[in-house]
Amino acid sequence: MLFSESPEDPFALGHGASAVLDDQGIVVGWSARAQELLGYPAKEVIGRAWQGFLIDARDLGVARAAAADARSKGGWFGILPILHRDGQRVEMGFRARAVIREEDSREWLLVGAPATEVIAWQRDRALLDGLYHRSPIGLVVHSPERTVIRINRAVEKTSGVPADLAAGRRPREFLVDEDAGPAEERVRHVLETGEPLIFTEQSARTRHDPARERFVSVSAFRMEDPSGRVLGVAETIEDVTDRHRAQRRLTLLNEASARIGTSLDVTQTARELAEVAVHGLADYCSVDLLKPVTLGAEPSPGVAEPLLRVALQPPERRIPFQEGEAVLLLPESSQARCLAERRPILERLLSLRPEWYAMDRRRIEVASGLGVHSLIVVPLMARGLILGIVSLWRSRHSEPFEDDDAAVAQEFAARAAVCIDNARRFTQQQSAALTLQRSLLPSAPSDLPAVKVSCRYLPASSEPGIGGDWFDVIPLSGARVALVVGDVVGHGIHAAASMGRLRAAVRTLASLDLEPDEVVARLDDLVSLLAAEREADADGNRSAEDQVLGATCLYAVYDPVSRNCSLARAGHPAPVLSTPDGQVTVLDLPSGPPLGLGGLPFETYDIDVPEGSLLTLYTDGLLEARNGDIDAALERLCDHLSHPADPLDRTCHAVVGALLPTDHLPSDDVALLIARTQVLPPQNVASWQLPLEATSAARARELTAAKLDEWGLTELAFTTELVASELVTNTYRYAAGPVTLRLIRTQCLICEVSDSSHTSPHLRRALSTDEGGRGLFLVAQLTERWGTRYTHAGKTVWTEQLLPPE
């Protein structure tokens, strides 16, 4: 086509200069545009040979060559220098074509334009041609009806639709439904609003290859003619799949760093690993750990340990091995090879590996049912030890794994392995500390004449570590009992060990039958001494916080004969007393300073406790476990203690359920001790005042024999008479003031002799020549236990004898 109607075409009608030559080169036609561009009016050029006035002599050879070329081909296109009427040379672009007249004569039609316009137009044409035929960036032109007008070769290659068959179609015929919707909405938005879109990324999976992941960056703009009429929408489409995958892998690694290792729990860490893997890398993920790792132990090098499935994501009941089950590996499996070779195993297409079909038929059937086709197995290694394996699977329409996927899997598995190993080592330390702590805690005695007890101990969650809370129930002389609850500052093995030392010290002090305030004061001295030792032995790099040792403690002594309870506390929460009538009171006893401050006084608080009352001792973790509102927690505690007649275990369970979280362990250790008080029947206690005379020993024998005969314990009469006689005799010889003889019948027979002296009796071995000094020796040989306790008014020497079998 010689003439174009496009306004951009420099040879368009009305824009280019035109002339008509006969076959001999004589000008027979000349347009007004030719006159405008070259300065020659028609009357000056009609009838003249074009080479004579339009061509400079030095360009004549070029002009003749162009004419010869045109004659041989029937047309010509090119650039020629032309003389303007004012003598200047002007570069012009020409199109020449032969026109055959009816009389078989031939004329030549020439259309010319300035060379700069021609070259620019040709460049634009070349660019347009390149966009459609050679550009690697896709180009799609949509009509106002949102159908495709034209696509270029790049889109043809990716979509699988030939360019000549694309016209009239919609994006839904090229893309899968999930990706076609956004693509069509994008075209509609640009068409209606005129707002361009720049570098919008979206998924663009094609119908001819739906399993292949593809992401594109799309820029779109609305096309309009000079009058503003909308002609359609043009889109440029760049394949950014590789870049998107790289960004996704980087995001996955960042996510793995943030989400894996949030706790010091081996199982939780493994599950976090599996969740991250299926979020952006695999369709299924299983984490299998060596059994010792799950228990916190270190796997033995070179020893074939069994594997346990710790995590499986997403849950799938058809998979043979579920969480918590042992995993059996076939020697030829990829997992077994990964363990043996300690390197990642990539199986791009499982169908290409003959060993795959030689495995367990049930597993093959399950894998086929799930559509599994690609596998990566990565070892979990830390500090040179292999902890387990991670298996990543892709199924159905997912693309097979690539080398880059294996590299990413190895990277986040390496990070996860460090977290799992840290959790394993913490579990090991936690288990050791918990074992130590539980070994230091007592089992509550079930048969005491003074109280019935129920207790609970709950260790802290894994984050802070095992703490130093403890409780104890210590039988004392005279059927009395000591109730103890304490809390050592800090967590971990050091706190548990310090707790053990304090508990042992309390038991030792209790055996001395000291008053509660005296027991707490001596504990205070001990804590100060331990703190000084720790500070002296501390490494210079340890912080001052690590060197601090402090504790709180509550010590109570209950006497079932007098119903008196004596208490002292050192910075510990006050106990709660529930009387049989349902009245609940938080005892307002002096708090005292925490143990370890040194030099500050402690006070004993005495209270008479009705029979059947509940005395509740606890550590602060019980009140702080949920939301830290201590007042509200204390109110709930009192509510659940308002029915003292309920079974102790039920009450203890109700308190724990009301005050502690149900979905996780508390953040601090919790010790709870509930004791129901009992009173010895008056008929089981006999007490006499004896004068400080030589005849009191004989009177003691008479009274003892009569009471034992009344109790039906005549078998113990001789022994008990001798014991009472010897103790009263010692009082007459070495003490002062009135003498009290008391017999108590409980699970054993107790004989007590009290006086106002604080002189301590000593057991010694008398020589054969000594006339005395054998009394306490006889007492010690004839009784099960004996000892001395001191009060402000004096001392009491006591003995215990086992009752004869019924």
Side-chain angles (χ1 to χ4, degrees):
M1 181 177 182
L2 183 61
F3 297 111
S4 170
E5 296 183 358
S6 173
E8 289 84 8
D9 190 348
F11 299 113
L13 290 174
H15 183 77
S18 59
V20 180
L21 308 178
D22 62 15
D23 203 32
Q24 286 72 40
I26 303 301
V27 178
V28 295
W30 191 262
S31 69
R33 180 60 175 164
Q35 178 179 340
E36 179 183 344
L37 291 177
L38 299 178
Y40 295 101
K43 62 182 180 180
E44 292 186 8
V45 300
I46 297 296
R48 299 176 62 182
W50 70 281
Q51 296 180 1
F53 69 94
L54 290 178
I55 303 298
D56 189 89
R58 53 187 171 179
D59 300 321
L60 191 58
V62 176
R64 289 173 177 171
D69 189 37
R71 290 179 181 279
S72 63
K73 298 178 180 179
W76 182 83
F77 171 77
I79 305 295
L80 282 178
I82 302 297
L83 282 176
H84 192 274
R85 189 171 184 272
D86 61 7
Q88 295 182 2
R89 294 170 77 247
V90 178
E91 296 283 338
M92 295 283 289
F94 286 98
R95 282 182 179 176
R97 179 170 293 184
V99 180
I100 306 300
R101 300 296 185 183
E102 295 181 357
E103 56 274 14
D104 294 333
S105 62
R106 183 170 61 177
E107 292 182 344
W108 296 88
L109 178 60
L110 276 72
V111 180
T116 55
E117 295 183 10
V118 173
I119 293 172
W121 178 74
Q122 287 293 90
R123 187 184 300 114
D124 292 343
R125 287 296 300 270
L127 175 62
L128 187 62
D129 180 73
L131 288 175
Y132 278 102
H133 295 92
R134 288 177 290 278
S135 173
I137 298 177
L139 179 63
V140 181
V141 180
H142 300 268
S143 69
E145 291 76 28
R146 301 199 299 256
T147 59
V148 174
I149 298 176
R150 188 176 180 184
I151 64 175
N152 68 350
R153 294 285 177 81
V155 176
E156 177 186 58
K157 182 178 179 181
T158 57
S159 66
V161 178
D164 55 351
L165 298 180
R169 297 191 178 189
R170 291 185 178 274
R172 194 168 298 277
E173 300 179 57
F174 300 93
L175 305 175
V176 297
D177 292 339
E178 294 87 346
D179 299 340
E184 292 185 345
E185 175 61 24
R186 181 179 61 244
V187 174
R188 184 200 64 77
H189 177 79
V190 174
L191 194 63
E192 293 179 357
T193 65
E195 298 176 358
L197 296 179
I198 301 176
F199 302 134
T200 301
E201 292 192 8
Q202 75 161 67
S203 175
R205 292 167 294 166
T206 59
R207 288 191 175 274
H208 85 284
D209 191 7
R212 185 179 181 185
E213 182 183 56
R214 185 181 301 279
F215 284 86
V216 296
S217 174
V218 181
S219 296
F221 62 93
R222 190 170 70 183
M223 300 182 299
E224 302 175 357
D225 63 12
S227 66
R229 181 167 60 98
V230 176
L231 302 177
V233 174
E235 292 181 308
T236 60
I237 302 173
E238 181 182 3
D239 190 331
V240 294
T241 304
D242 291 341
R243 185 179 71 192
H244 182 82
R245 287 177 177 173
Q247 291 176 343
R248 185 175 60 193
R249 289 164 182 153
L250 181 60
T251 301
L252 181 63
L253 291 177
N254 291 335
E255 185 177 359
S257 299
R259 293 182 55 186
I260 298 176
T262 60
S263 71
L264 289 172
D265 181 83
V266 172
T267 300
Q268 179 63 26
T269 303
R271 287 175 179 165
E272 291 168 350
L273 167 60
E275 290 170 358
V276 169
V278 298
H279 181 69
L281 186 61
D283 295 316
Y284 296 95
C285 176
S286 62
V287 181
D288 306 323
L289 300 179
L290 297 176
K291 187 174 181 178
V293 176
T294 64
L295 302 176
E298 185 170 297
S300 302
V303 177
E305 300 282 2
L307 283 172
L308 289 181
R309 178 141 297 169
V310 181
L312 175 63
Q313 288 291 330
E316 174 55 66
R317 299 305 305 174
R318 289 177 289 176
I319 293 179
F321 306 115
Q322 296 295 306
E323 290 184 0
E325 296 181 357
V327 178
L328 302 178
L329 297 182
L330 299 176
E332 62 272 20
S333 66
S334 301
Q335 286 81 358
R337 291 168 51 208
C338 177
L339 279 175
E341 301 174 13
R342 298 192 170 196
R343 66 176 182 86
I345 301 295
L346 169 61
E347 302 289 358
R348 288 184 174 86
L349 292 174
L350 292 172
S351 59
L352 300 180
R353 193 165 70 85
E355 296 85 351
W356 174 254
Y357 295 99
M359 292 174 61
D360 187 338
R361 298 309 306 170
R362 177 167 174 257
R363 300 186 202 183
I364 296 300
E365 292 172 0
V366 170
S368 300
L370 296 174
V372 170
H373 59 80
S374 191
L375 167 67
I376 296 176
V377 186
V378 184
L380 290 168
M381 296 186 63
R383 299 187 301 113
L385 295 175
I386 188 161
L387 309 176
I389 54 174
V390 181
S391 299
L392 307 171
W393 312 81
R394 281 186 177 173
S395 63
R396 302 198 183 280
H397 300 303
S398 299
E399 293 187 26
F401 285 117
E402 300 175 353
D403 290 335
D404 289 343
D405 296 318
V408 172
Q410 186 176 10
E411 178 66 24
F412 76 68
R415 300 185 185 186
V418 174
C419 296
I420 290 175
D421 188 56
N422 288 339
R424 177 197 66 78
R425 298 171 71 181
F426 178 81
T427 300
Q428 186 179 40
Q429 295 182 2
Q430 186 86 342
S431 177
L434 184 59
T435 301
L436 171 64
Q437 188 176 45
R438 290 195 182 278
S439 68
L440 296 174
L441 290 173
S443 57
S446 58
D447 189 18
L448 291 174
V451 293
K452 297 292 184 182
V453 297
S454 180
C455 51
R456 293 289 188 276
Y457 171 76
L458 284 86
S461 61
S462 59
E463 283 78 7
I466 295 299
D469 292 17
W470 91 91
F471 64 89
D472 211 342
V473 180
I474 308 171
L476 300 178
S477 63
R480 298 170 305 135
V481 65
L483 306 175
V484 189
V485 171
D487 184 1
V488 175
V489 174
H491 296 87
I493 292 180
H494 292 296
S498 298
M499 175 270 288
R501 299 177 74 175
L502 289 182
R503 177 174 173 258
V506 171
R507 280 197 160 251
T508 301
L509 294 172
S511 68
L512 299 177
D513 271 321
L514 301 176
E515 294 290 326
D517 59 339
E518 182 69 15
V519 171
V520 175
R522 296 197 181 188
L523 279 179
D524 180 57
D525 295 338
L526 176 61
V527 171
S528 299
L529 178 62
L530 293 178
E533 290 179 355
R534 175 177 293 188
E535 185 175 357
D537 296 339
D539 181 29
N541 294 326
R542 293 181 55 185
S543 65
E545 181 180 357
D546 292 333
Q547 299 174 17
V548 170
L549 175 64
T552 64
C553 181
L554 172 62
Y555 185 84
V557 175
Y558 173 70
D559 187 343
V561 176
S562 65
R563 296 186 294 107
N564 176 262
C565 184
S566 299
L567 308 96
R569 62 171 174 154
H572 201 83
V576 177
L577 177 66
S578 308
T579 54
D581 58 3
Q583 184 176 356
V584 182
T585 306
V586 180
L587 297 181
D588 187 20
L589 63 154
S591 63
L595 301 177
L597 295 184
L600 298 176
F602 299 93
E603 298 180 47
T604 295
Y605 178 86
D606 291 296
I607 184 173
D608 289 334
V609 180
E611 182 179 8
S613 299
L614 296 185
L615 188 61
T616 302
L617 289 69
Y618 51 89
T619 56
D620 56 4
L622 182 69
L623 302 183
E624 300 172 353
R626 287 205 169 178
N627 54 17
D629 189 342
I630 296 179
D631 293 336
L634 187 59
E635 184 177 350
R636 288 197 303 271
L637 173 62
C638 293
D639 288 341
H640 285 82
L641 294 175
S642 60
H643 304 285
D646 289 349
L648 281 181
D649 282 343
R650 182 191 302 173
T651 302
C652 212
H653 181 76
V655 168
V656 170
L659 297 179
L660 300 184
T662 57
D663 55 344
H664 60 275
L665 291 174
S667 59
D668 192 11
D669 285 20
V670 173
L672 172 65
L673 176 63
I674 302 179
R676 176 179 288 122
T677 61
Q678 302 180 122
V679 176
L680 292 182
Q683 61 269 24
N684 287 359
V685 180
S687 180
W688 304 276
Q689 290 284 337
L690 299 176
L692 195 63
E693 299 174 355
T695 59
S696 294
R699 180 58 178 165
R701 287 194 298 270
E702 293 175 3
L703 295 172
T704 300
K707 181 54 68 175
L708 293 183
D709 184 62
E710 178 185 334
W711 286 344
L713 299 176
T714 55
E715 294 181 27
L716 299 179
F718 176 77
T719 303
T720 310
E721 286 180 45
L722 180 58
V723 168
S725 175
E726 289 294 334
L727 294 181
V728 171
T729 298
N730 283 344
T731 302
Y732 169 71
R733 289 179 177 177
Y734 306 111
V739 179
T740 302
L741 171 64
R742 186 167 72 164
L743 297 179
I744 302 174
R745 185 181 65 175
T746 60
Q747 291 90 345
C748 62
L749 178 62
I750 302 172
C751 178
E752 297 181 344
V753 175
S754 304
D755 60 57
S756 60
S757 171
H758 288 87
T759 303
S760 176
H762 294 287
L763 178 65
R764 66 187 183 88
R765 186 177 297 274
L767 300 177
S768 59
T769 57
D770 291 342
E771 295 183 0
R774 296 176 178 83
L776 283 181
F777 180 78
L778 292 174
V779 169
Q781 297 300 313
L782 295 174
T783 61
E784 189 72 18
R785 292 196 310 149
W786 78 279
T788 305
R789 67 173 180 267
Y790 295 89
T791 64
H792 296 295
K795 70 175 183 296
T796 298
V797 180
W798 55 268
T799 66
E800 290 181 1
Q801 301 174 72
L802 297 179
L803 297 181
E806 296 180 359

